[in-house]
Amino acid sequence: MSALTEDQTGRGGRPANGTATTVENPPHPAVPRQPGPPSPTTAGPTPSTNASKEPAPSATVSAEPASSATVSAEPAISTTVSGKSAPPTTASAEPTSSTTTPGKPTPAATSPEKPAPPSPATDHPTAPRPPITAVTAVTTELAHRTTETDVFPARWTRISDTRFRFTAHWPAAHPFFGPVDDQHQDPMIVGETLRQASMVLAHAEFGAPADTHFVMWDLTVSVDPAALLLADAAEPVEFDVVCSEIRRRGRGLRSMRTTMEFRRAGRFVARGTGSTGCTPPRAYRRLRAGRLNAWNTPVPLLAGIAPQAAGRSRAEDVVLAPADRPGVWNLRVDTGHPVLFPRPNDHVPGMVLFEAARQAATAASGLRPFLPATLTAEFDHYAELHSPCRIETEVFDEHPGEVTVRVSGRQDGASVFTASLTSARPARVPSPS
């Protein structure tokens, strides 16, 4: 299954599509807790939620552009959001094949108030958990990134055993998640922040060991592009997180759903939800048997489409290559890209697939910029490095003033992922008579 994840922990990027020289997934050392700077979000208690002791049942994430999130507009967000869990290839500790996908997990009756086990963010496995009001800094190790500039969540506070409040920084300039035009930040940074925060909590609050492999089965994000202004980039982003559908593997974590609501200077920016699975290295090796050395074989680097057509400013950030007909492209895999491939990987990271969906939606719709207000994605299988992956699109003008693009990725005759992105059409300016 391809997933929106960074699940290897090697070293930095490599020459473009060259042979890797580092070992995949070396274990991280234990990461000591680091006190963060005082945060205004910790000054007072957060209104409690009405979360059920039972996790919300999974519901299908619609391919329609409307977000499935039903998060309250109040900072104390609800736990009623649920999305489809794509078949979790990592859910079983005893996978039977590297090419088949185990069935979906059924939500486990996990009490939200059950104390979480010790985690790699503590100094010692038996160390007590910090007070609820403690502020903890996010590290590159916890976020699975190799450089600090690629880490967007900065610190968090535990409100309860399943509720957390984060502070994030979305820079005005970033090598990859840079501005999409001269006014707006990249909406894709919301999904990346959600992904990073989910892994941080899995490690530091729910006991996932440092060498865990992560997979995100589905992702739904709803954004107000008018709240993503470059002029506000210096203002920190606060977001509340509710964890639900928590499934344990012994004292560790097997999977969970995270639901988040983002605000900047008190103004709603975005909300999102995603389900994440965790796989121990031993099970991952069995699951990916025969594929683990794929990163050690060079991948042909295809010529990309024009950056402007993909909505990018740099040719090296393009992940689409021309295909045989309009509305269809081939996935362009650059294993040397420092953000998309910061470390060796035996498959195409889900971030690449998510970006391919956005670039395909931009190219197919012809909108410049394409500012997605809603994004949904479901991941079905791992995208392999050495098989062609076709990216196909359908464009729908179902509602006045907006366009929806449905994107699918197919490899070796099977679906890898599906996505749906909706953007408003820019208002037409009457030409002078």
Side-chain angles (χ1 to χ4, degrees), residues 5 12 21 23 37 44-45 60 65 68 90 122 138 146 195 210 227 247 258 292 297 314 339 349 357 362 367 390 414:
T5 176
T21 58
V23 178
T60 301
S68 64
T90 61
T122 58
V138 175
T146 55
R195 186 190 68 84
R247 293 167 56 86
T258 49
L292 290 178
T297 302
R314 306 189 310 171
V339 176
T362 303
L367 296 186
R390 286 173 66 85

Side-chain angles (χ1 to χ4, degrees), residues 129-335:
R129 300 181 72 196
I132 285 181
T133 56
V135 177
T136 309
V138 175
T139 65
T140 54
E141 291 85 0
L142 289 175
H144 284 222
R145 304 302 294 170
T146 55
T147 60
E148 292 183 359
T149 55
D150 291 340
V151 178
F152 301 128
R155 57 188 178 272
W156 83 94
T157 301
R158 182 165 59 91
I159 305 301
S160 74
D161 285 333
T162 56
R163 289 174 42 78
F164 308 89
R165 177 163 292 173
F166 277 77
T167 298
H169 296 285
W170 294 341
H174 185 269
F176 187 77
F177 294 98
V180 294
D181 57 13
D182 58 358
Q183 296 183 23
H184 298 91
Q185 292 188 273
D186 188 354
M188 301 294 280
I189 203 170
V190 177
E192 174 61 10
T193 303
L194 185 151
R195 186 190 68 84
Q196 291 184 20
S198 297
M199 292 190 298
V200 167
L201 292 177
H203 281 312
E205 300 286 355
F206 291 93
D211 54 0
T212 297
H213 294 256
F214 290 93
V215 58
M216 185 163 276
W217 302 321
D218 62 78
L219 180 68
T220 298
V221 174
S222 176
V223 184
D224 178 7
L228 279 176
L229 298 180
L230 280 173
D232 299 330
E235 186 75 28
V237 176
E238 308 289 341
F239 62 100
D240 285 354
V241 184
V242 170
C243 300
S244 62
E245 300 177 28
I246 301 165
R247 293 167 56 86
R248 296 288 189 181
R249 179 184 283 110
R251 289 179 57 82
L253 182 67
R254 181 171 181 174
S255 63
M256 70 175 177
R257 174 170 295 281
T258 49
T259 300
M260 307 184 187
E261 184 165 293
F262 301 79
R263 292 179 177 272
R264 176 184 270 162
R267 178 180 178 182
F268 170 83
V269 176
R271 60 173 60 95
T273 184
S275 56
T276 303
C278 310
T279 303
R282 184 177 176 182
Y284 187 82
R285 287 193 296 269
R286 290 195 296 268
L287 179 67
R288 298 289 293 162
R291 301 283 189 176
L292 290 178
N293 290 328
W295 51 265
N296 212 24
T297 302
V299 180
L301 182 60
L302 305 178
I305 66 174
Q308 294 75 19
R312 306 297 310 196
S313 59
R314 306 189 310 171
E316 55 264 41
D317 293 333
V318 173
V319 298
L320 299 179
D324 53 358
R325 59 186 176 86
V328 178
W329 295 269
N330 291 311
L331 185 66
R332 179 178 184 264
V333 178
D334 180 1
T335 60

Side-chain angles (χ1 to χ4, degrees), residues 65-66 180-181 184 187 223 225 358 361-362 365-375 395-406 420-427:
V180 294
D181 57 13
H184 298 91
V223 184
R358 188 262 292 274
T362 303
S365 67
L367 296 186
R368 307 289 188 277
F370 186 91
L371 280 171
T374 58
L375 311 88
V395 181
F396 299 89
D397 293 304
E398 298 173 335
H399 303 286
E402 67 180 32
V403 59
T404 296
V405 183
R406 295 176 186 168
S420 178
L421 303 89
T422 299
S423 174
R425 287 190 179 276

